[in-house]
Amino acid sequence: MALRSSFRLGLTALSFWPFLPIASRAPVYGRLIYELAIDRRVPWSRKAILGIAVAYVISPIDFIPDFVPFISRVDDVMVTIIALDLFLEGVPRELMIEKMYTLGIDGRELERDMEAARRFLPLPIRTFARRLPALMEASADVVRAELEARGYLETSDKDKEAISA
């Protein structure tokens, strides 16, 4: 019995092998995420994705209950990977280069690490996650239009030009 449980532990550790290099660079990546999150040039929808992911990871309530084997244990990891991927994808290229240069991060290394993390996600989840920012922006537009129609929100001409652009 002891041999069998140690074998399972070895397989579990082996499945997280691709994340070891990422874990060693986590403090630098955390600093990058923080710097980008406080920058005004990053779209609000991408910052909202990070906020939703943090709330989900902290929350004791999960979409997948804890009694479901394996998947219930990695759903927080999957949400984190999706949120980081979508956040970084939405950052303007010039801003990303600026922040990576400031922090001394190699862009190729970051892309390799993100690709290793993406391989952890099933394809249907990745395709749904790619649609998430557009869905968030569309729903925000609907809410904004409804608030304007009811008179709760006034939008100046300058704001209307920025929204349409």
Side-chain angles (χ1 to χ4, degrees), residues 46-83:
R46 301 305 169 131
K47 292 178 184 181
I49 290 171
L50 276 185
I52 291 168
V54 167
Y56 180 78
V57 169
I58 291 173
S59 171
I61 301 169
D62 289 337
F63 290 127
I64 302 171
D66 286 338
F67 61 81
V68 177
F70 183 69
I71 296 174
S72 65
R73 304 294 180 209
V74 297
D75 65 335
D76 291 340
V77 174
M78 290 171 51
V79 166
T80 303
I81 292 170
I82 290 169

Side-chain angles (χ1 to χ4, degrees), residues 11-27:
L11 287 179
T12 303
L14 190 60
S15 68
F16 289 105
W17 181 258
F19 294 105
L20 289 179
I22 298 171
S24 69
R25 292 185 283 274

Side-chain angles (χ1 to χ4, degrees), residues 19-40:
F19 294 105
L20 289 179
I22 298 171
S24 69
R25 292 185 283 274
V28 178
Y29 291 160
R31 179 69 185 194
L32 174 68
I33 297 299
Y34 174 75
E35 291 290 328
L36 290 170
I38 63 172
D39 197 299
R40 293 178 184 255

Side-chain angles (χ1 to χ4, degrees), residues 112-123:
R112 275 193 309 266
D113 290 344
M114 286 305 298
E115 187 58 39
R118 282 183 206 113
R119 278 188 248 123
F120 183 72
L121 300 173
L123 185 61

Side-chain angles (χ1 to χ4, degrees), residues 127-149:
T127 52
F128 173 75
R130 294 273 180 228
R131 296 181 184 148
L132 191 60
L135 291 171
M136 287 178 64
E137 288 177 10
S139 62
D141 290 341
V142 168
V143 169
R144 186 180 301 118
E146 186 64 29
L147 290 175
E148 286 175 359

